[in-house]
Amino acid sequence: MNCYLSRNYRNSAYAGNKAKIDIEQIMQNLGYTNIGRSQTRYSGVVSAFMATLASMAAAPFHIGRGDVLVLQYPLKKYFRMQCRIAHARGAKVVVIIHDLGSFRRKKLTIPEEIKKLSLADYVIAHSEAMRAWLIEHGFRKPVGVLGLFDFLSDSKPASRTKAPEKPYKVMYVGDLSYSYNAALYEMGQNAANWTTVLYGGGFELEKATPGCRIDYRGYINSDDLIAAPDADFGLVWYGSSRHGCEGRIGDYLRYIAAHKLSLYLRCEVPVIVGKGTAMAEFVEREGIGITVDSLDNIEGLLGKLSPEQYMQMKERAAAVGRKLAQGAFTSAALAEAGKALAAK
């Protein structure tokens, strides 16, 4: 039996929870069995804790020899317990990594993280770069690669039959606070070929550099954005510098498959990502957008972009977006994990 553990998700709109909820749904669609309690969405701290605890406590009674248990990491205090129980009962454990505590939050040392993950029999990393990082730091179990996080939604963007007129609209969705993403406040100074469309909370308009072409739209639900994306590109960028993704979160982009990228592709728009990030190779290989060393390069690259080139990128982005809507990346990664464990 292939199985997983559901839990409580206090905020389903939060990108991290959205990805986990989608993976649970994909596993359910694939015929995996939830051996915990039904998924819940309690917002209260106590009720949320009790719901997840009840799900974790139910699991040992429903797992047996030969089963494969999929855990989404991190699982905080429950991870070690579930791995040990599964192994005691003769089951294997597959872990899908969402976040690493030794990276941006520094809640674990690297040796502590590797030791913890080594309780699994197979790990699915975000990217080839993350896979290499795990192996470099001593992880010795098999490692697969997800590539992109799938993004489920009933919404479907309207098709576009011709390229947009310049200036292009480049959207950014996420945390817009200056302390988190100061580079956004310097984007597109005196640009002729593009303007910035910002979705999210925390934007401090008074801190924007004079000459920036910024259209702040506020918060938008992802389903509504997918249904009517008023943008021509989606930007993945973090940090304080427009000349490269810097800082702890910027460095993290060298390894992760940003959920933001999946959202843009579900909107069926091409993307702009920083060179040196884990996503850059995928974007270039699939022809779904452009990669830049600096936000300052966007103006020149978009200025040279022909309508035919844009539509080709958009069609390829739409094709990837349809795969994300079907759960294709998670399904493929889990199938690869199953093959690897069966061969052992």
Side-chain angles (χ1 to χ4, degrees):
M1 175 179 71
N2 292 324
C3 53
Y4 67 97
L5 268 169
S6 192
R7 46 161 293 190
N8 185 80
Y9 296 101
R10 296 175 63 189
N11 178 8
S12 60
Y14 169 63
N17 286 347
K18 165 66 175 165
K20 292 173 185 175
I21 291 168
D22 282 354
I23 288 176
E24 283 194 16
Q25 183 61 55
I26 292 164
M27 288 192 288
Q28 183 179 328
N29 294 345
L30 291 172
Y32 283 54
T33 300
N34 174 21
I35 60 171
R37 302 287 293 273
S38 297
Q39 185 186 111
T40 54
R41 306 287 177 86
Y42 298 124
S43 58
V45 175
V46 175
S47 55
F49 170 77
M50 294 304 296
T52 295
L53 179 62
S55 189
M56 298 300 122
F61 301 100
H62 303 284
I63 192 168
R65 183 167 298 278
D67 292 344
V68 175
L69 172 63
V70 178
L71 297 177
Q72 302 199 62
Y73 181 93
L75 196 57
K76 296 185 178 179
K77 60 181 72 68
Y78 307 108
F79 180 76
R80 291 184 177 89
M81 177 185 72
Q82 294 300 338
C83 288
R84 287 167 179 156
I85 289 173
H87 289 146
R89 292 181 171 269
K92 301 289 187 182
V93 178
V94 172
V95 166
I96 300 175
I97 295 175
H98 287 268
D99 197 10
L100 291 171
S102 58
F103 268 37
R104 55 187 176 131
R105 293 189 175 90
K106 306 299 182 184
K107 289 190 174 182
L108 295 171
T109 65
I110 293 174
E112 287 172 339
E113 186 115 67
I114 296 299
K115 182 178 180 180
K116 191 174 181 181
L117 285 169
S118 295
L119 292 171
D121 300 286
Y122 187 98
V123 164
I124 299 174
H126 287 212
S127 65
E128 287 291 350
M130 184 179 285
R131 178 181 181 275
W133 184 91
L134 289 168
I135 294 170
E136 177 187 347
H137 288 90
F139 189 77
R140 296 293 177 258
K141 301 292 181 65
V143 186
V145 173
L146 182 64
L148 288 177
F149 282 97
D150 292 304
F151 203 109
L152 305 186
S153 172
D154 292 331
S155 296
K156 182 179 179 181
S159 60
R160 173 180 275 173
T161 58
K162 64 178 183 178
E165 295 183 0
K166 298 174 185 177
Y168 293 109
K169 294 178 181 177
V170 177
M171 70 171 160
Y172 182 91
V173 182
D175 187 338
L176 305 177
S177 62
Y178 186 84
S179 60
Y180 186 82
N181 227 334
L184 296 178
Y185 292 74
E186 301 178 1
M187 288 206 307
Q189 296 179 52
N190 304 309
N193 294 306
W194 66 291
T195 186
T196 309
V197 178
L198 299 180
Y199 290 103
F203 185 62
E204 303 164 70
L205 182 60
E206 69 280 1
K207 293 184 179 180
T209 301
C212 291
R213 303 181 65 179
I214 294 176
D215 181 2
Y216 175 49
R217 305 283 182 86
Y219 175 80
I220 187 170
N221 179 280
S222 61
D223 291 334
D224 293 336
L225 182 64
I226 292 168
D230 186 20
D232 308 310
F233 287 90
L235 173 68
V236 181
W237 196 272
Y238 292 103
S240 59
S241 174
R242 67 179 190 271
H243 301 301
C245 296
E246 297 178 354
R248 187 176 297 175
I249 297 175
D251 290 341
Y252 202 23
L253 285 180
R254 292 188 293 153
Y255 304 98
I256 67 168
H259 198 244
K260 195 186 314 294
L261 179 67
S262 299
L263 172 59
Y264 298 150
L265 293 171
R266 280 291 282 112
C267 293
E268 299 187 359
V269 298
V271 295
I272 301 172
V273 304
K275 288 183 184 290
T277 65
M279 298 156 286
E281 181 183 354
F282 182 87
V283 169
E284 291 174 346
R285 182 177 71 247
E286 299 296 322
I288 58 175
I290 62 176
T291 59
V292 295
D293 289 315
S294 167
L295 294 176
D296 293 347
N297 298 147
I298 296 175
E299 171 72 2
L301 290 171
L302 294 188
K304 297 175 183 176
L305 192 67
S306 70
E308 294 76 19
Q309 289 171 323
Y310 176 84
M311 289 305 295
Q312 187 176 57
M313 284 194 297
K314 179 171 175 55
E315 289 167 6
R316 290 174 175 173
V320 175
R322 289 190 289 271
K323 289 182 180 180
L324 296 174
Q326 298 164 359
F329 287 84
T330 302
S331 299
L334 289 173
E336 190 63 31
K339 290 179 183 177
L341 292 177
K344 292 180 70 175

